[in-house]
C-alpha cells in the first residue's frame, strides 16, 4: 500500500477511500505465503526457530516448500481429499508451518488446535469437524490417542516427535516421499481453515475461513505493523526485501499459531511478505520475551495487553537492559489501557497500534502510528488516541449499530458491526464462510438490510465524530449498576495503574437494592499485601479517577484470573461465581 499525504488528519481518509480490493477467482494461501518465494527466493529465511542454549535454526523458503510438498504427497496417499479437515495440534515450530502450507496446497482444510487442550476439548472438535488426519507433536500425542477411539472419522495420526508406535512417524514418512507437489487450483472462496471459537452460550462453534480472508487481513497487518510505503516518489528509508517490506524486518509474537491471532495476524502475513518470523514454543515469560526480541533483532511484533502489562511490571526500563530494535507493536484481544500505552511509548520507544477483530471477521479496526515523509512534511497513518480501538482499517466498512441493525448516532453505544460491502460497494474478502454445520448460528450473526448485510461482532463500543471506536466491553459483559451502564474494561485499566495491581477483572455482583454492584477480582503485584487497607486504597484510586458509580464496591484478591488459551480474561467465569454465591446466600 502506498499513498501521499500532507495533513496527518487526512491520511486515514486517503487510505480508506483509495483502497480497491483485488480478489482473483483462484487464490491459494500456500502459493502466496510460500510457493512463490520458494521459486524466486529459495534462500530467503522464512522461519527462525528459537532453540534454548543453541543458535537459532533457520528454515528457508526452499526447504519449507520441499517439506510441505512431501507432506502433501503423504496426505494425498493417506486419502485426504479437497475439503477434508486435517487437525494440526502443535505449538510454534517449523512442522506447524509445514503442515499448514501442505494442507492449503492440497485443497484440504487445516484445523489448528491448541496444545493446551485436554482430551475433552480435543474430542469435541475432532468429532464435530470429522477430521480425517491429525498431525501432533509429543506434547499432545497422549491426549489424541486417548480420544481417537471415539472419533470414527479420524483415520490417521502423524507423530512429529516422540514414539510413533503404530502411528505414522513424520520424519520416516516424509523421507519416503519423493518429487515435488503441484498445488491444486483453489477458488478464493474455498475453505482453508476451520477454527473453533467459544461463544457466550453452548459449545464452541467452528468458523470456516476461506483463502480470500488472508487478502482481507493484509491492510490491517500493513497499517498496524507500520509497513506503509510513501507514495511521494522518494527512495524508501530502508532497503526493501522481496515482499516489499524492509529487508531487515523480523517478526515475532507469543500468540499461539493455533488461534486466529497467531495464524492470521502473525504466521501467514509474515510469510506473505517474506518477513522472517521467529518460532518459540516456550511458555511466555516477560523477561525472556524481551531477551528473545533483542537477540533475534525483532522489528515487528504482536503482543497481547496481558503480556505487555507483565513486561511493564517485570522490567520497567527494558531498553537499559536489552538492545531492542522494535519499530511496531500491534496489540489486540482486550483494551490496552492508557497506562500500558504510555509505558510502551516511553519505555519501548514505540506507539502501540491497537487492533480489533475476531475469528469470523479479523483485522477490521485499529491504528497506524507510522510516520511517512511526504515532500518534507511528516504525516501519520492516523494518530492513535490512548484508550481507543482505532478506526476501520482500509477496505472495511465498520459501524456501531443498534438492536434493529440501524447505525447509531455518534457517541451512542452499540454493537460493532462490519458490512459485507466496503465503501465502494465491493464485497469485503475478510468475511468467514459461516459456522461449521451451524446455519442457524451463521444467520444469527448477520442483521440489517439486504438479507443481513451487517455482521455483528458482539462487542459494544462508541464511535466518536472522527470515526474512532471506544471499546465498552463484550455485549454480555457490559452491565448496569444502580441504573448506570458499566463497561468493565475502563475500571480494570484504572486498577492496573496502581502499583499494587498486576491484573484485574470487573464483573457485576448481584445486589438486591441496586440490581448489581461493581465487583473487582485483583491479582496482586509481587510484594503487595492484600488487606483492608489496600481495598480502601484501591477503591479511592478508582473513585478519584472515574465516575463515583464505577468504583468497585467489593474487591477480592485472587492468585490468577481465569484466562482463555489466547490470553483473554474470562469474565464470564467470574460472573457465574458471583451469581452462584448470591444464590447460596439467598437460599
Amino acid at each position: 500500500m502506498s499513498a501521499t499525504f500532507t495533513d496527518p488528519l487526512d491520511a486515514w481518509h486517503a487510505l480508506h477511500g483509495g483502497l480497491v480490493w483485488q480478489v482473483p477467482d483462484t487464490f491459494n494461501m500456500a502459493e502466496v505465503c510460500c510457493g512463490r518465494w520458494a521459486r524466486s527466493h529459495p534462500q530467503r529465511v522464512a522461519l527462525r526457530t528459537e532453540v534454548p542454549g543453541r543458535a537459532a535454526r533457520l528454515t528457508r523458503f526452499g526447504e519449507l516448500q520441499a517439506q510441505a510438498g512431501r507432506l502433501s504427497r503423504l496426505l494425498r496417499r493417506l486419502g485426504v481429499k479437497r475439503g477434508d479437515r486435517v487437525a494440526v495440534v502443535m505449538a510454534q515450530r517449523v512442522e506447524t508451518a509445514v503442515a499448514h502450507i501442505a494442507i492449503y496446497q492440497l485443497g484440504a482444510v487445516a484445523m489448528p488446535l491448541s496444545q493446551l487442550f485436554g482430551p475433552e476439548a480435543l474430542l469435541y472438535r475432532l468429532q464435530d469437524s470429522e477430521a480425517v488426519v491429525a498431525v501432533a507433536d509429543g506434547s499432545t500425542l497422549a491426549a489424541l490417542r486417548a480420544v481417537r477411539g471415539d472419533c470414527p472419522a479420524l483415520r490417521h495420526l502423524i507423530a512429529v516427535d516422540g514414539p510413533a508406535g503404530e502411528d505414522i512417524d513424520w520424519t520416516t514418512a516424509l523421507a519416503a516421499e519423493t518429487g515435488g507437489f503441484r498445488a491444486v487450483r483453489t477458488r478464493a472462496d474455498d475453505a482453508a481453515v476451520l477454527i473453533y471459537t467459544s461463544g457466550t452460550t453452548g459449545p464452541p462453534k467452528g468458523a470456516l475461513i476461506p483463502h480470500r480472508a488472508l487478502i482481507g487481513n493484509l491492510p490491517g497487518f500493513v497499517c498496524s505493523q507500520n509497513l506503509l510505503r510513501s507514495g511521494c516518489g522518494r527512495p524508501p528509508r530502508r532497503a526493501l526485501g522481496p515482499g516489499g517490506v524492509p529487508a531487515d524486518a523480523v517478526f515475532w509474537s507469543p500468540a499461539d499459531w493455533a488461534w486466529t491471532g497467531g495464524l492470521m495476524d502473525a504466521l501467514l502475513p509474515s510469510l506473505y511478505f517474506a518477513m522472517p518470523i521467529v518460532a518459540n514454543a516456550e511458555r511466555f515469560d516477560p523477561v525472556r520475551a524481551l531477551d528473545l526480541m533483542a537477540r533475534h533483532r525483532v522489528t515487528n511484533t504482536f503482543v497481547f495487553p496481558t503480556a505487555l502489562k507483565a513486561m511493564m511490571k517485570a522490567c520497567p526500563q527494558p531498553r537499559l537492559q536489552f538492545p531492542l530494535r522494535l519499530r511496531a507493536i500491534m496489540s489486540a484481544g482486550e483494551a490496552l489501557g492508557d497506562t500500558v500505552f504510555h509505558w510502551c511509548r516511553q519505555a519501548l520507544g514505540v506507539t502501540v497500534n491497537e487492533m480489533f477483530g475476531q475469528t469470523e471477521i479479523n483485522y477490521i479496526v485499529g491504528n497506524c502510528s507510522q510516520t511517512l515523509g511526504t515532500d518534507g512534511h511528516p504525516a501519520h497513518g492516523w494518530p492513535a488516541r490512548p484508550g481507543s480501538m482505532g478506526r476501520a482499517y482500509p477496505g472495511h466498512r465498520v459501524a456501531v449499530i443498534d438492536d434493529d441493525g440501524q447505525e447509531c448516532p455518534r457517541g451512542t453505544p452499540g454493537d460493532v458491526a462490519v458490512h459485507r460491502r466496503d465503501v465502494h460497494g465491493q464485497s469485503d474478502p475478510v468475511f468467514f464462510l459461516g459456522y461449521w454445520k451451524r446455519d442457524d448460528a451463521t444467520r444469527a450473526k448477520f442483521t440489517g438490510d439486504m438479507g443481513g448485510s451487517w455482521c455483528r461482532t458482539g462487542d459494544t463500543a462508541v464511535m466518536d465524530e472522527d470515526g474512532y471506536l471506544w471499546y465498552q466491553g463484550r455485549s454480555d459483559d457490559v452491565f448496569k449498576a444502580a441504573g448506570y451502564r458499566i463497561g468493565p474494561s475502563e475500571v480494570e485499566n484504572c486498577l492496573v495503574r496502581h502499583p499494587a495491581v498486576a491484573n484485574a477483572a470487573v464483573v457485576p455482583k448481584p445486589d438486591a437494592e441496586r440490581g448489581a454492584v461493581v465487583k473487582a477480582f485483583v491479582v496482586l503485584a509481587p510484594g503487595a499485601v492484600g488487606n483492608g487497607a489496600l481495598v480502601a486504597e484501591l477503591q479511592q484510586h478508582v473513585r478519584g479517577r472515574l465516575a463515583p458509580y464505577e468504583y468497585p464496591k467489593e474487591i477480592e484478591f485472587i492468585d490468577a484470573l481465569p484466562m482463555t488459551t489466547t490470553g483473554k480474561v474470562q469474565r464470564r467465569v467470574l460472573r457465574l461465581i458471583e451469581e452462584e454465591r448470591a444464590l447460596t446466600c439467598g437460599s
Side-chain angles (χ1 to χ4, degrees):
M1 297 175 63
S2 63
T4 300
F5 327 113
T6 56
D7 184 349
L9 296 179
D10 291 336
W12 179 83
H13 296 285
L15 288 168
H16 202 64
L19 186 143
V20 177
W21 291 115
Q22 297 181 16
V23 182
D25 292 334
T26 59
F27 183 78
N28 187 282
M29 293 199 297
E31 165 60 20
V32 297
C33 292
C34 185
R36 59 172 174 160
W37 303 130
R39 292 189 300 272
S40 63
H41 295 79
Q43 295 302 309
R44 175 76 175 175
V45 174
L47 294 104
R48 300 175 56 90
T49 303
E50 174 79 353
V51 183
R54 292 162 52 192
R57 173 189 172 187
L58 303 182
T59 303
R60 304 178 189 279
F61 278 103
E63 178 187 353
L64 180 61
Q65 182 62 44
Q67 290 290 312
R70 293 188 182 96
L71 181 57
S72 293
R73 290 175 68 87
L74 172 62
L75 293 173
R76 176 177 284 176
R77 189 163 56 79
L78 294 176
V80 177
K81 304 183 299 297
R82 293 180 67 141
D84 282 348
R85 278 71 59 206
V86 178
V88 180
V89 201
M90 295 184 288
Q92 290 187 9
R93 56 186 299 166
V94 173
E95 292 83 359
T96 306
V98 169
H100 276 277
I101 298 301
I103 294 165
Y104 302 151
Q105 67 184 9
L106 185 61
V109 178
M111 183 176 67
L113 298 174
S114 172
Q115 61 174 341
L116 300 179
F117 282 155
E120 290 187 10
L122 291 172
L123 177 62
Y124 171 75
R125 290 160 176 79
L126 290 168
Q127 286 182 336
D128 188 66
S129 66
E130 299 174 315
V132 298
V133 174
V135 185
D137 60 21
S139 66
T140 54
L141 283 170
L144 283 167
R145 286 167 177 157
V147 302
R148 68 181 307 177
D150 296 318
C151 303
L154 188 60
R155 301 192 298 266
H156 302 285
L157 177 60
I158 300 175
V160 170
D161 53 23
E166 297 180 357
D167 296 314
I168 299 168
D169 178 74
W170 169 286
T171 302
T172 303
L174 264 62
E177 299 292 336
T178 59
F181 181 84
R182 185 174 182 179
V184 302
R185 288 173 60 86
T186 54
R187 293 180 299 114
D189 281 329
D190 284 347
V193 185
L194 180 63
I195 298 184
Y196 280 80
T197 178
S198 297
T200 55
T201 59
K205 301 184 293 293
L208 203 56
I209 311 300
H211 287 271
R212 60 167 161 76
L214 177 61
I215 299 175
N217 276 236
L218 293 179
F221 181 81
V222 168
C223 291
S224 71
Q225 292 300 330
N226 294 342
L227 296 172
L228 288 164
R229 281 183 285 162
S230 172
C232 63
R234 294 207 313 261
R237 291 176 56 193
R238 296 182 177 90
L240 301 180
V245 301
D248 63 344
V250 177
F251 194 95
W252 172 73
S253 173
D256 190 342
W257 293 352
W259 299 103
T260 304
L263 183 66
M264 302 296 289
D265 303 350
L267 177 63
L268 294 182
S270 293
L271 295 177
Y272 177 90
F273 287 110
M275 183 193 307
I277 182 170
V278 178
N280 177 38
E282 291 184 299
R283 184 180 180 87
F284 177 81
D285 175 89
V287 177
R288 283 205 306 266
L290 290 165
D291 177 63
L292 177 148
M293 289 193 289
R295 286 186 290 104
H296 289 276
R297 300 186 175 188
V298 171
T299 58
N300 297 74
T301 186
F302 160 32
V303 185
F304 293 113
T306 302
L308 288 172
K309 291 175 188 175
M311 290 179 181
M312 180 179 68
K313 297 288 185 179
C315 191
Q317 295 182 308
R319 287 191 288 179
L320 296 181
Q321 295 179 241
F322 304 100
L324 298 173
R325 297 170 179 263
L326 289 171
R327 298 174 194 154
I329 300 175
M330 185 273 279
S331 192
E334 289 192 296
L336 184 67
D338 57 0
T339 302
V340 181
F341 178 90
H342 290 299
W343 175 79
C344 289
R345 177 179 281 175
Q346 295 166 5
L348 298 176
V350 177
T351 299
V352 176
N353 290 322
E354 289 196 69
M355 184 276 283
F356 169 80
Q358 56 182 200
T359 299
E360 299 89 338
I361 39 174
N362 188 41
Y363 241 133
I364 52 175
V365 169
N367 286 302
C368 178
S369 62
Q370 181 178 2
T371 299
L372 298 167
T374 56
D375 299 326
H377 298 87
H380 296 271
W382 52 93
R385 296 181 180 178
S388 169
M389 298 158 61
R391 292 159 140 176
Y393 276 126
H396 310 302
R397 179 182 166 192
V398 178
V400 172
I401 63 174
D402 59 22
D403 292 342
D404 297 324
Q406 301 299 313
E407 293 191 42
C408 297
R410 297 296 172 96
T412 303
D415 202 353
V416 180
V418 186
H419 203 277
R420 289 183 185 270
R421 296 189 177 275
D422 66 8
V423 294
H424 302 293
Q426 291 183 302
S427 294
D428 188 337
V430 82
F431 281 85
F432 76 134
L433 295 171
Y435 293 116
W436 177 254
K437 298 190 295 188
R438 292 286 304 275
D439 291 343
D440 56 337
T442 303
R443 288 191 294 270
K445 186 75 173 172
F446 292 87
T447 190
D449 59 348
M450 297 171 60
S453 297
W454 290 107
C455 184
R456 293 181 179 272
T457 64
D459 288 275
T460 303
V462 170
M463 181 179 286
D464 65 22
E465 292 298 327
D466 295 321
Y468 284 85
L469 288 162
W470 300 83
Y471 186 71
Q472 302 289 297
R474 283 291 301 174
S475 297
D476 53 351
D477 283 338
V478 175
F479 60 94
K480 286 187 176 182
Y484 291 100
R485 189 177 177 92
I486 306 293
S489 62
E490 187 176 22
V491 183
E492 292 162 0
N493 290 333
C494 185
L495 284 166
V496 170
R497 295 180 204 167
H498 194 284
V501 178
N503 211 346
V506 169
V507 298
K509 177 180 179 178
D511 182 84
E513 294 183 6
R514 303 177 182 86
V517 296
V518 180
K519 167 74 178 279
F521 288 86
V522 169
V523 178
L524 292 172
V529 178
N531 53 29
L534 182 58
V535 168
E537 185 177 334
L538 292 176
Q539 289 175 328
Q540 184 57 39
H541 175 78
V542 176
R543 188 200 298 265
R545 289 164 175 78
L546 301 178
Y549 58 82
E550 291 183 285
Y551 89 91
K553 304 293 189 298
E554 183 173 321
I555 294 177
E556 181 175 337
F557 300 110
I558 57 176
D559 293 331
L561 298 176
M563 310 287 282
T564 68
T565 53
T566 57
K568 298 179 183 178
V569 176
Q570 292 181 301
R571 297 190 190 93
R572 182 173 58 88
V573 173
L574 300 173
R575 187 171 186 163
L576 289 174
I577 290 174
E578 288 304 307
E579 291 174 357
E580 290 173 1
R581 288 174 176 174
L583 289 174
T584 302
C585 294
S587 60

